[in-house]
Amino acid sequence: MKVLLLGATGNLGSRLVPALLAHNHSVVIFVRSESKLRTLVDSAALSQCTIVNGDGTDNRAIEETILNNQCNALINSAGRAAIFPWGAPKMQGIIQAVATAVVEASKKLGYPIRCWFLGGLTVLDFPGKKGTKMSYYFPLFNEHGHTLDCISSKPKEYLQWSLLAPSAMTPASQEITVLQAPRGNPLAAQNDIPANWSATFLSGVPYLGIYADIAMNMMRYNTTLEDCADFMAADLTKGESEHVGHKVGIIVSNEKKGQ
């Protein structure tokens, strides 16, 4: 696919560049600071990409980039969510601009645009309580709920969205270089709820059981940035993805999946 990438100077976005290339996608990078990008990502990888300078809150510039390059997919990893519920939203200007640009560009191009957005674990539903987000019990990173509201309000015939919902992501390596082949990833995924959730012996305790379950499960959902990047890049190779229109929980499984 021809993928427009926003957020390529971030921890995840910089690793998405080689992951997308390894899966044979054409990559267009929309970035505010090209000089910063070149300090983070191997020049050999960037030489295979188209780089467009722009502001992530400028929906017209994003739309124009999609149209000029005839992109049929987009990944947005730009922006950083407010951690605490009283914090002012930090990334909704970007989310709204990207979603608006995708819809308008899709109308003009005549085909839907497949999109991945970045959320967090607390935007997922608590298992067995459909519609009740984890953030109801663990009120951190509530801003991802605003992201979900924005993208899910757009017509799916134009914006075919998925919202990746990882817990903590750490680097497997500090080096970001060209990959000769997809690295594969060991992630299992489940739509709308945390993947492979494990109820604890305290589950049946009224009120406190839910909090105990969350606390004892939370660390199980830590992943690496490289695995998350490969997961999204691999998903974009599918003709149709089971994750369209869903928030997606991920967990490291026992078997590594080669792509």
Side-chain angles (χ1 to χ4, degrees):
M1 302 190 84
K2 196 155 196 180
V3 184
L4 178 60
L5 173 62
L6 291 90
T9 57
N11 289 328
L12 178 59
S14 57
R15 288 163 174 83
L16 276 161
V17 175
L20 289 166
L21 293 172
H23 283 276
N24 296 316
H25 298 294
S26 298
V27 181
V28 180
I29 300 173
F30 188 89
V31 65
R32 183 170 54 185
S33 175
E34 184 175 341
S35 59
K36 181 179 179 181
L37 175 68
R38 294 190 179 280
T39 66
L40 295 171
V41 181
D42 187 359
S43 60
L46 293 179
S47 68
Q48 301 176 55
C49 304
T50 299
I51 300 174
V52 178
N53 292 279
D55 189 311
T57 61
D58 187 342
N59 63 287
R60 293 187 181 277
I62 298 169
E63 178 187 345
E64 183 178 335
T65 302
I66 296 171
L67 293 172
N68 289 346
N69 294 277
Q70 295 189 308
C71 298
N72 56 1
L74 178 147
I75 298 179
N76 180 71
S77 63
R80 182 173 294 181
I83 298 176
F84 300 107
W86 55 82
K90 296 181 177 180
M91 56 188 287
Q92 291 314 298
I94 295 173
I95 299 301
Q96 291 169 13
V98 170
T100 298
V102 166
V103 169
E104 294 307 312
S106 175
K107 290 177 181 177
K108 293 171 183 175
L109 290 168
Y111 53 74
I113 297 175
R114 178 75 178 101
C115 298
W116 274 99
F117 292 84
L118 182 61
L121 184 68
T122 57
V123 79
L124 297 170
D125 292 350
F126 188 87
K129 294 183 178 292
K130 185 176 181 179
T132 301
K133 297 184 184 70
M134 300 272 287
S135 58
Y136 177 80
Y137 305 103
F138 198 78
L140 296 179
F141 298 102
N142 288 359
E143 187 172 0
H144 294 312
H146 297 307
T147 297
L148 177 64
D149 291 341
C150 177
I151 60 179
S152 62
S153 70
K154 304 300 181 185
K156 201 182 297 183
E157 62 263 34
Y158 303 125
L159 193 161
Q160 294 190 340
W161 63 271
S162 296
L163 183 64
L164 189 69
S167 186
M169 298 179 290
T170 56
S173 172
Q174 295 298 331
E175 293 187 9
I176 304 171
T177 59
V178 172
L179 299 172
Q180 299 306 313
R183 71 189 298 276
N185 70 81
L187 301 180
Q190 192 163 354
N191 289 339
D192 302 319
I193 64 173
N196 298 346
W197 182 261
S198 178
T200 72
F201 66 95
L202 295 172
S203 296
V205 177
Y207 186 72
L208 292 178
I210 289 177
Y211 295 94
D213 273 2
I214 293 174
M216 296 178 74
N217 271 281
M218 195 66 70
M219 294 297 291
R220 297 177 58 238
Y221 292 95
N222 291 350
T223 57
T224 69
L225 294 158
E226 288 83 354
D227 284 342
C228 290
D230 184 83
F231 177 84
M232 287 188 283
D235 181 77
L236 291 182
T237 65
K238 300 175 182 177
E240 293 185 8
S241 172
E242 68 274 24
H243 301 308
V244 171
H246 293 281
K247 42 197 179 181
V248 182
I250 51 174
I251 191 171
V252 175
S253 63
N254 292 328
E255 293 186 21
K256 186 169 182 174
K257 298 180 294 180
Q259 302 294 341

